[in-house]
Amino acid sequence: MNSSIGKAYMSTASSSAGRKAGDAAAAAAAAADQFPAGLRVLVVDDDPTCLMILEKMLRTCLYEVTKCNRAETALSMLRENKNGFDVVISDVHMPDMDGFKLLEHIGLEMDLPVIMMSADDGKHVVMKGVTHGACDYLIKPVRIEALKNIWQHVVRKRKNEWKDFEQSGSVEEGDRQLKQSEDADYSSSANEGNWKSSKRRKDDEDETDERDDTSSLKKPRVVWSVELHQQFVAAVNQLGIDKAVPKKILELMNVPGLTRENVASHLQKYRLYLRRLSGVSQHPGNLNNSFMSPQEATFGPLSSLSGLDLQTLAATGQLPAQSLVTLQSSGLGRPTGKSGIPMPLIDQRNIFSFENPKLRFGEGQQQHVNNNKQMNLLHGIPTTMEPKQLAGLHHGAQSMGNMNMQVASHGSQSSQNNPLLMQMAQPQARGQMLNDSSLGHAPRLLSPMGQPMLSNGIAANVPTRNGIQENIRAPSYNPVPQTSSMLNFPMNHASELPGNSYPLGSTPGISSLTPKVAFREDVNSDIKGSVGFLPSYDIFNDLDHHKPQNWELQNVGMTFDASQHSNSLQGNLNHAQSVLVQQGFSSGQMNGQNRSATVVSKTMFSSGDSTGHVNAQNGNQPLNSLLVDGTVRVKSETPTNLYPDDFGQEDLMSALLKQQDVIAPAEHEFDFDGYSLDNIPV
Amino acid sequence: MDRNRLKHQVASMRSSLFDQGYLDEPFIQLEELQDDDNPNFVQEIVTLFYTDSARLIQNIEHALNSRRIDFDKLDDYMHQFKGSSSSIGAKKVTNECTVFREYCSAENAEGCIRSFQQVKQEYAILRRKLEVYLQMVRQAAVSRTT
């Protein structure tokens, strides 16, 4: 492997700036002037001919090139020199490691923009690039013209990060204000336009930015260095992947300044990553082993969710429903894991409407599956979503991922927010497929975390595209194009969601509800300020067949309409922000929903097995009463038919609750294990 | 030989390589990349291509000769070969690779064997022509105008 570094151009630039004089600042300034010259590119390709050609082309573009013929080497170089590169270009097809794996690693660890290339221009492969977070995909033979503009991905990413950083303020105080401003930022996207504006109207929106690249994390971005990640992995392994709760991980890691939310979001990504691994584990030579260098520590048990990725990806809205279906049928199938990430069957007909703004969803924790599982996905989301609304939701590739549902862990009102929510990077979906550099790296965020598992035929329409924008605060991750809509709902029914733009079919064998959760996009994870959020979840429930669905509302950050409940969850949701992942719904329609009652729920749907259960938090408490406390507990009940239209909050709630009853404890392998929604005090 | 004449011959041969479909656009890119910093860039790349191709061809032969043909592996090798041949603009070779891959995905062993013969043939022809051409290019570069 040749790691030649072309300094020629750079030196020229620098020297002219006075580097000789040792004036680093001047050199830097000069470099900036010369931008994109001097852009530090790492190119990885096992084909020596192509590698040499690319190197030459990149040098001709005045970039500073380092070439590498093995993915593992590239990864170590990146790890050794985290800030040594601006962009990575990698071939898809490499003998020692699948290019997509490398892509994921880079996204997880370094968060650099990655451009994939391949001679293969098949739609499936290109889509894979998108879903794995590549910021671009070049078809070989690559022309120099294609390389001339790669700097845009670097700029875009920086811009997103900057915005992110700007918006992230100190954790608590600034949140509210930040949210407000973030909300304001939001209006850019057409999809969210209506929704956002309505959201903005509500003063207390907690979460914003789903769609935006900038995650609405209020916290400063955390950069997961190799060391930090190793500590993280060590902690996770020590706890056991199933029991690894952000809080405990945080404790074990013992890193000053690191917050539970940071860990939570990282955990989410990590889980996604693991899922992906397990999904590709059959792929020869593909496993992480190859790149799991000693420094990495094992990633832990690989979940066997094969479809998980897909789901997550779909959920992030990156995948068009059809593609998703295609992909699913192409073999992702049902996850084999116990909780199996259900294929993101988004039953279009199932729409969750959350009428109740105050929903507290317990975090889906496996351990507490039975009652604490919060996934009550949609509970509490009172507004009924009309089908057309749903239709509206789905535009824009918003990753639903950010459904933040405040999942209050029942009975364990820990203060933790659903870390997942944090993680949900806002899917960039601005109607884009993951090309956004911001998304690029964190598609995985889609993580099931916080994805509510829809139980029994409750289809949460998670518009993947719509942008469930969660403003996940993924401190270090950019919005993940979570296929939020894809929330893995182990929905049993495949109901058609009218107007759902994600026609995610049910996976064969899984009659799942297509969860259509209309989440308000701007889910402010900060429930504190929660103020009316929105998402109206229409719960469409083909209860007829509903089988227990695994609803896990992982990070349900519901922003409750302040108007409705003055004692909104805010108290509970103090950290909800991070948790709230809002599903970006094209909110126009949402607006119509009861705003007041809408809960911004970012529900993360996690796939559960078909026996999915919604872990209802509490017993069957009528929604109202729950609301009164500001907490909503979803309990599993025998599923009842929920019809999206005209569902009164109470009705919905009870329906939801009822549904949850039947839901068996979800043992989803994903995700939310051990995530407790701290912020929702029980 | 007179430089101008040499240059003329080079140009003529170059045209025919393109006209007859042996070479394609990417080759032009290679030529354009050649500059003072890399005055022999095209030759270097082509040489690299030969070396890498020899390896891949050998692997494919071996895979085709095994009792139980592993089509996935075959496809893998051919994918690589196709990738590099397309990056230098070896049009005919690349096309034959495509045909091969079709047989491969159909798991048609006989088809693979036959089309592989075609691949090798086209590769051999191109290699010969390129060697002649590049030698002429070198000569023209060092020749003097008389």
Side-chain angles (χ1 to χ4, degrees):
Chain A
M1 196 238 327
N2 170 3
S3 48
S4 58
I5 295 192
K7 295 249 189 286
Y9 303 101
M10 194 52 178
S11 314
T12 309
S14 322
S15 58
S16 62
R19 180 172 287 182
K20 288 178 191 148
D23 187 349
D33 289 342
Q34 309 262 346
F35 186 87
L39 191 74
R40 299 160 307 166
V41 183
L42 175 64
V43 56
V44 190
D45 194 336
D46 64 310
D47 180 336
T49 312
C50 292
L51 194 60
M52 199 163 194
I53 296 173
L54 286 166
E55 185 193 22
K56 181 65 185 169
M57 284 181 172
L58 291 163
R59 292 246 168 92
T60 304
C61 296
L62 303 184
Y63 297 150
E64 189 181 305
V65 188
T66 304
K67 64 180 199 279
C68 197
N69 67 356
R70 293 191 70 221
E72 292 190 38
T73 317
L75 208 51
S76 9
M77 286 171 73
L78 286 165
R79 285 172 180 154
E80 280 162 27
N81 189 4
K82 269 277 171 81
N83 297 318
F85 300 98
D86 297 312
V87 61
V88 179
I89 302 179
S90 172
D91 190 40
V92 164
H93 196 202
M94 292 186 287
D96 66 330
M97 185 195 304
D98 180 37
F100 294 117
K101 270 282 146 306
L102 177 65
L103 168 59
E104 283 203 34
H105 269 279
I106 296 175
L108 261 175
E109 300 176 35
M110 296 106 202
D111 202 19
L112 286 174
V114 181
I115 297 169
M116 300 306 291
M117 354 165 244
S118 179
D120 191 351
D121 62 350
K123 189 175 99 173
H124 177 76
V125 186
V126 178
M127 175 64 78
K128 216 173 160 191
V130 170
T131 55
H132 282 66
C135 62
D136 204 351
Y137 191 105
L138 306 177
I139 307 292
K140 285 179 165 181
V142 178
R143 304 185 77 236
I144 194 172
E145 288 76 13
L147 296 175
K148 282 200 169 120
N149 291 326
I150 61 172
W151 58 267
Q152 63 172 298
H153 303 293
V154 176
V155 174
R156 190 178 292 116
K157 198 163 175 64
R158 284 182 195 161
K159 173 177 167 288
N160 294 339
E161 287 175 8
W162 170 243
K163 267 167 96 177
D164 215 6
F165 184 75
E166 270 181 333
Q167 292 179 3
S168 65
S170 58
V171 180
E172 262 111 26
E173 319 87 55
D175 283 352
R176 216 57 87 88
Q177 290 89 345
L178 285 173
K179 287 221 174 110
Q180 311 274 338
S181 60
E182 281 169 11
D183 286 348
D185 283 350
Y186 259 121
S187 47
S188 50
S189 172
N191 297 336
E192 322 161 271
N194 296 347
W195 186 55
K196 282 207 176 139
S197 45
S198 40
K199 189 172 86 144
R200 225 169 315 141
R201 269 178 265 138
K202 294 184 171 191
D203 261 350
D204 5 17
E205 285 198 321
D206 288 352
E207 294 225 339
T208 48
D209 69 48
E210 297 94 45
R211 195 90 53 121
D212 226 325
D213 293 321
T214 52
S215 46
S216 58
L217 297 175
K218 308 310 178 218
K219 308 171 179 33
R221 238 174 139 83
V222 169
V223 175
W224 283 85
S225 65
V226 177
E227 299 72 25
L228 198 60
H229 181 67
Q230 284 176 24
Q231 282 179 272
F232 168 83
V233 175
V236 168
N237 290 338
Q238 191 176 330
L239 292 166
I241 191 73
D242 287 342
K243 292 194 163 45
V245 199
K247 191 176 182 187
K248 291 191 186 146
I249 297 172
L250 185 65
E251 283 164 14
L252 275 177
M253 285 175 72
N254 193 24
V255 171
L258 193 66
T259 67
R260 198 190 134 285
E261 285 80 3
N262 299 143
V263 173
S265 63
H266 193 71
L267 179 62
Q268 188 175 4
K269 283 181 79 161
Y270 184 61
R271 284 179 189 264
L272 260 171
Y273 162 80
L274 290 183
R275 292 220 171 71
R276 289 228 174 120
L277 286 183
S278 65
V280 254
S281 57
Q282 299 81 21
H283 184 63
N286 205 327
L287 259 203
N288 36 340
N289 295 334
S290 55
F291 52 76
M292 239 1 154
S293 52
Q295 51 193 274
E296 272 209 55
T298 31
F299 275 143
L302 296 178
S303 55
S304 53
L305 297 166
S306 48
L308 187 54
D309 277 6
L310 188 52
Q311 288 182 353
T312 25
L313 294 177
T316 51
Q318 300 303 326
L319 294 178
Q322 292 84 353
S323 315
L324 191 57
V325 176
T326 306
L327 290 169
Q328 288 177 9
S329 52
S330 69
L332 288 181
R334 273 177 95 182
T336 52
K338 56 179 165 106
S339 50
I341 305 272
M343 289 311 293
L345 300 173
I346 296 212
D347 191 332
Q348 303 186 355
R349 285 167 303 161
N350 296 331
I351 300 177
F352 276 109
S353 42
F354 290 81
E355 299 282 343
N356 194 334
K358 290 199 208 156
L359 287 181
R360 294 225 308 220
F361 292 57
E363 274 182 341
Q365 300 184 6
Q366 293 210 348
Q367 290 83 354
H368 316 278
V369 153
N370 358 339
N371 28 4
N372 284 357
K373 274 322 196 56
Q374 349 340 14
M375 293 296 343
N376 309 304
L377 261 198
L378 305 177
H379 38 242
I381 314 233
T383 48
T384 5
M385 275 259 294
E386 296 299 322
K388 48 185 184 267
Q389 290 170 349
L390 288 177
L393 289 184
H394 104 109
H395 38 240
Q398 311 236 345
S399 29
M400 294 267 302
N402 300 315
M403 304 255 299
N404 277 330
M405 303 263 297
Q406 283 283 333
V407 181
S409 58
H410 183 48
S412 56
Q413 273 308 316
S414 16
S415 46
Q416 326 206 3
N417 280 351
N418 205 333
L420 296 178
L421 288 181
M422 265 198 62
Q423 208 35 302
M424 297 302 266
Q426 327 298 316
Q428 297 302 323
R430 271 207 224 199
Q432 321 168 349
M433 296 305 255
L434 274 189
N435 272 324
D436 214 336
S437 53
S438 53
L439 288 182
H441 304 282
R444 11 232 175 192
L445 284 192
L446 191 225
S447 64
M449 300 247 225
Q451 289 186 350
M453 306 267 281
L454 296 179
S455 53
N456 312 334
I458 292 191
N461 179 9
V462 182
T464 53
R465 298 260 204 130
N466 302 358
I468 292 237
Q469 267 300 328
E470 22 267 337
N471 36 215
I472 294 196
R473 334 191 126 254
S476 39
Y477 297 102
N478 275 337
V480 168
Q482 307 284 345
T483 46
S484 45
S485 47
M486 289 292 297
L487 299 185
N488 326 300
F489 293 99
M491 305 296 216
N492 298 328
H493 322 278
S495 35
E496 254 353 86
L497 257 187
N500 189 341
S501 56
Y502 300 104
L504 293 175
S506 310
T507 326
I510 298 182
S511 53
S512 48
L513 297 173
T514 313
K516 286 195 180 189
V517 181
F519 289 104
R520 246 341 233 289
E521 262 187 28
D522 47 50
V523 175
N524 283 327
S525 52
D526 191 355
I527 302 226
K528 268 200 269 209
S530 58
V531 192
F533 2 141
L534 37 165
S536 9
Y537 290 110
D538 283 332
I539 299 175
F540 257 120
N541 198 334
D542 288 349
L543 295 179
D544 294 339
H545 2 251
H546 72 124
K547 294 160 203 188
Q549 303 277 345
N550 205 351
W551 273 29
E552 289 194 353
L553 283 177
Q554 301 282 338
N555 291 313
V556 177
M558 313 269 265
T559 43
F560 294 93
D561 195 353
S563 60
Q564 289 228 328
H565 309 279
S566 47
N567 57 342
S568 56
L569 300 184
Q570 304 200 354
N572 310 332
L573 304 175
N574 44 7
H575 298 287
Q577 315 114 17
S578 48
V579 171
L580 277 177
V581 176
Q582 283 202 4
Q583 306 255 349
F585 283 84
S586 24
S587 54
Q589 289 81 13
M590 300 287 263
N591 292 341
Q593 301 301 320
N594 353 303
R595 280 292 194 95
S596 52
T598 50
V599 176
V600 171
S601 41
K602 292 191 178 172
T603 48
M604 315 266 257
F605 292 97
S606 48
S607 49
D609 44 49
S610 49
T611 55
H613 17 270
V614 171
N615 295 307
Q617 309 221 341
N618 296 332
N620 317 318
Q621 295 175 19
L623 185 56
N624 286 338
S625 61
L626 285 178
L627 291 178
V628 169
D629 317 349
T631 60
V632 170
R633 305 222 163 73
V634 180
K635 58 182 191 119
S636 26
E637 290 186 7
T638 334
T640 53
N641 282 322
L642 294 179
Y643 299 96
D645 30 84
D646 292 346
F647 241 128
Q649 293 185 16
E650 297 170 35
D651 292 348
L652 273 178
M653 202 47 197
S654 17
L656 259 169
L657 293 176
K658 283 196 189 141
Q659 294 207 353
Q660 295 170 356
D661 271 353
V662 285
I663 298 175
E667 35 237 39
H668 26 276
E669 27 189 282
F670 268 182
D671 32 48
F672 307 98
D673 302 336
Y675 273 173
S676 47
L677 295 179
D678 302 324
N679 39 34
I680 303 181
V682 168
Chain B
M1 186 187 280
D2 179 69
R3 187 174 202 215
N4 287 338
R5 263 184 78 193
L6 269 174
K7 286 176 99 175
H8 182 74
Q9 281 182 336
V10 164
S12 172
M13 187 173 184
R14 183 180 176 281
S15 294
S16 81
L17 283 171
F18 280 93
D19 294 342
Q20 292 171 19
Y22 290 102
L23 290 178
D24 205 352
E25 162 72 24
F27 191 83
I28 298 175
Q29 298 244 328
L30 293 187
E31 292 175 319
E32 288 175 351
L33 285 171
Q34 185 159 298
D35 55 16
D36 292 341
D37 286 339
N38 297 90
N40 297 315
F41 185 70
V42 179
Q43 180 66 70
E44 288 168 17
I45 293 290
V46 170
T47 305
L48 203 49
F49 172 66
Y50 295 153
T51 313
D52 203 40
S53 303
R55 177 184 65 88
L56 286 167
I57 287 172
Q58 200 175 22
N59 289 343
I60 295 171
E61 294 267 23
H62 187 73
L64 277 174
N65 289 334
S66 42
R67 230 160 6 110
R68 246 182 109 248
I69 294 182
D70 183 346
F71 287 102
D72 284 339
K73 211 177 209 179
L74 260 185
D75 187 67
D76 214 40
Y77 290 137
M78 191 49 86
H79 173 87
Q80 294 179 53
F81 187 56
K82 184 182 169 186
S84 41
S85 64
S86 69
S87 32
I88 69 157
K91 193 173 177 188
K92 289 195 179 192
V93 175
T94 305
N95 290 343
E96 294 301 333
C97 290
T98 305
V99 174
F100 179 95
R101 290 186 80 200
E102 284 166 11
Y103 282 116
C104 206
S105 61
E107 300 202 352
N108 180 340
E110 204 194 296
C112 284
I113 292 169
R114 270 187 290 115
S115 65
F116 186 57
Q117 296 309 313
Q118 287 297 111
V119 170
K120 282 192 290 184
Q121 194 174 339
E122 287 298 338
Y123 171 76
I125 294 170
L126 175 72
R127 184 165 173 165
R128 255 193 336 263
K129 287 183 183 278
L130 271 179
E131 280 170 356
V132 169
Y133 170 70
L134 290 175
Q135 189 178 18
M136 226 189 283
V137 168
R138 273 195 304 277
Q139 283 176 346
V142 300
S143 70
R144 293 166 180 276
T145 311
T146 57

